[in-house]
Amino acid sequence: GLDANVRYQWEAGEIGMFTAGVAASWTREYEITDINGNRFDGAGKRNIGTTIGRSLPQWKVNYSLGWLKDRHSAFALVRFID
């Protein structure tokens, strides 16, 4: 798999300070072996109806935007899971 985290911060004068970020995780393969010895890739599968492997999305991404001015702040987060 691959993990990446990017963050950018900038000052916007009287408006305040902003921070934008993206944190992503990609799972290439999640090898599962069932009780009969059969192997399969469980990445991106929901594994509904089975107890041999946990649900593992192939992509997990968090997008964020923050604002700060004096004693005031706001933060928003959007999560993408596939």
Side-chain angles (χ1 to χ4, degrees):
L2 178 68
D3 295 323
N5 191 349
V6 177
R7 196 172 120 181
Y8 182 71
Q9 191 172 54
W10 71 97
E11 185 73 42
E14 291 292 318
I15 299 171
M17 181 176 290
F18 289 89
T19 304
V22 176
S25 178
W26 172 68
T27 302
R28 183 175 143 293
E29 183 179 38
Y30 175 44
E31 189 174 288
I32 300 173
T33 305
D34 66 14
I35 58 173
N36 297 321
N38 301 317
R39 292 183 181 177
F40 61 95
D41 183 14
K45 310 289 190 298
R46 294 198 177 24
N47 300 330
I48 296 172
T50 182
T51 58
I52 62 171
R54 67 181 180 90
S55 178
L56 181 66
Q58 192 157 24
W59 279 100
K60 294 185 281 184
V61 184
N62 290 330
Y63 303 96
S64 63
L65 180 63
W67 166 77
L68 176 66
K69 170 117 170 104
D70 299 327
R71 295 186 310 175
H72 305 284
S73 65
F75 182 80
L77 177 76
V78 175
R79 181 169 286 159
F80 172 79
I81 299 173
D82 183 33

